[in-house]
């Protein structure tokens, strides 16, 4: 009788994924299907050029009007993917965000990611204007933007595993960390080579530029979050 009563007791399911994250992943998946269907060749080119150290020379493919639309959609996809990445990991580091509701936190994270992306773009444009290197700035934004788009595409499936597969949570986190390190390394190398080859900039100033805009911010983030990251891995 007791066993029968236990069977009749309702089972409470504990969701380990926030509903807002589930909806966000669904919308991102639909966006990816739309991009892959309408800009298949462009998406393949982005993925191939993401893993290259040398800068892309396929201007006819990357600069067509149709592919500019594809680039806009992939940039939006990249920003939303980074937003979910920050949403997943920032509460581990800052206790303040653990008290904020998920919808408000996601909206706040999206705003911060878009703001930083726009600020960095405008800062590069101003530097290019001041030093009369507008063409080099445009090339830098275009070439490094390829890495951003490819990073979003490669990162997306591993974020799905991290959020929806508890047995693979740790290994997917390690892979996400590895992909992010390779992504930043390729950005730094491409930016350095771009300044030397196309901007006629001395090695020292090209390295100083990359340090200021790319390396130092990442090192500051690593400095702040190194202990929490190691605690997650351990």
């Amino acid at each position: 009788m007791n066993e029968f009563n236990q069977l009749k007791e309702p089972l409470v399911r504990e969701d380990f994924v926030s509903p807002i994250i589930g909806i966000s992943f669904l919308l991102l998946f639909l966006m990816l299907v739309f991009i892959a269907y309408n800009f298949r060749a462009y998406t393949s080119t982005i993925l191939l050029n993401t893993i290259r150290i040398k800068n892309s020379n396929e201007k006819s493919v990357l600069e067509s009007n149709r592919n500019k639309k594809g680039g806009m959609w992939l940039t939006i996809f990249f920003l939303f993917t980074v937003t979910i990445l920050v949403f997943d990991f920032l509460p581990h580091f800052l206790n303040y965000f653990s008290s904020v509701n998920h919808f408000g936190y996601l909206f706040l994270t999206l705003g911060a990611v878009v703001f930083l992306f726009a600020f960095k773009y405008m800062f590069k444009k101003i530097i290019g204007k001041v030093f009369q290197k507008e063409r080099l700035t445009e090339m830098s934004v275009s070439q490094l933007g390829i890495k951003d788009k490819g990073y979003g595409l490669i990162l997306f499936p591993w974020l799905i595993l991290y959020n929806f597969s508890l047995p693979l949570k740790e290994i997917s986190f390690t892979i996400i960390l590895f992909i992010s390190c390779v992504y930043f390394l390729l950005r730094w190398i491409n930016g350095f080579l771009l300044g030397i080859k196309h901007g006629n900039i001395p090695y020292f100033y090209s390295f100083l530029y990359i340090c200021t805009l790319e390396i130092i911010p990442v090192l500051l983030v690593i400095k702040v979050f190194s202990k929490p990251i190691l605690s997650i891995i351990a």
Side-chain angles (χ1 to χ4, degrees):
M1 189 68 179
N2 291 332
E3 294 180 357
F4 180 75
N5 291 332
Q6 289 178 358
L7 291 174
K8 292 183 63 177
E9 291 181 0
L11 297 176
V12 179
R13 189 187 72 178
E14 295 184 4
D15 291 326
F16 59 90
V17 177
S18 168
I20 189 65
I21 282 295
I23 295 173
S24 299
F25 270 107
L26 177 60
L27 294 176
L28 272 177
F29 178 75
L30 293 176
M31 184 188 298
L32 183 59
V33 171
F34 169 80
I35 294 171
Y37 179 78
N38 291 279
F39 311 100
R40 185 176 303 174
Y42 177 75
T43 304
S44 300
T45 302
I46 289 295
L47 287 173
L48 289 175
N49 283 280
T50 299
I51 59 177
R52 293 178 58 185
I53 295 179
K54 294 183 179 180
N55 293 300
S56 173
N57 293 319
E58 301 182 40
K59 295 183 179 180
S60 60
V61 176
L62 299 176
E63 294 181 359
S64 67
N65 290 329
R66 178 177 178 80
N67 289 333
K68 286 182 180 179
K69 294 180 181 179
M72 179 193 70
W73 279 107
L74 281 176
T75 300
I76 295 173
F77 184 83
F78 161 74
L79 292 175
F80 275 97
T81 303
V82 172
T83 297
I84 293 181
L85 178 67
V86 176
F87 182 95
D88 281 338
F89 297 118
L90 196 58
H92 293 287
F93 309 135
L94 301 177
N95 294 328
Y96 167 76
F97 291 102
S98 60
S99 61
V100 182
N101 68 80
H102 287 165
F103 178 79
Y105 170 47
L106 182 65
F107 183 79
L108 182 65
T109 304
L110 177 62
V113 169
V114 173
F115 172 78
L116 291 175
F117 182 83
F119 175 80
K120 192 173 182 179
Y121 174 80
M122 293 302 299
F123 188 69
K124 285 185 176 181
K125 297 285 286 186
I126 292 173
I127 290 180
K129 191 72 175 178
V130 170
F131 293 98
Q132 299 181 350
K133 294 289 183 180
E134 291 92 342
R135 181 176 176 275
L136 180 62
T137 301
E138 290 295 332
M139 292 182 64
S140 174
V141 171
S142 175
Q143 296 292 341
L144 297 183
I146 294 175
K147 306 300 180 188
D148 295 338
K149 299 177 183 71
Y151 176 66
L153 291 171
I154 296 172
L155 190 66
F156 181 65
W158 297 107
L159 283 176
I160 292 178
L161 285 179
Y162 179 82
N163 282 275
F164 296 100
S165 178
L166 285 176
L168 298 177
K169 201 175 186 70
E170 291 185 5
I171 188 171
S172 57
F173 172 79
T174 304
I175 294 175
I176 288 171
L177 192 61
F178 174 76
I179 292 173
S180 300
C181 291
V182 173
Y183 159 71
F184 284 115
L185 183 62
L186 290 176
R187 277 183 61 92
W188 299 341
I189 294 175
N190 285 156
F192 181 74
L193 295 177
L194 192 66
I196 294 173
K197 291 183 177 180
H198 300 280
N200 295 322
I201 299 175
Y203 287 88
F204 174 75
Y205 292 106
S206 182
F207 179 74
L208 188 63
Y209 174 82
I210 295 299
C211 284
T212 304
L213 291 182
E214 302 288 345
I215 299 179
I216 292 179
V218 174
L219 292 180
L220 289 176
V221 171
I222 293 175
K223 176 66 176 178
V224 173
F225 298 136
S226 57
K227 290 184 178 179
I229 289 176
L230 291 176
S231 65
I232 293 176
I233 296 176

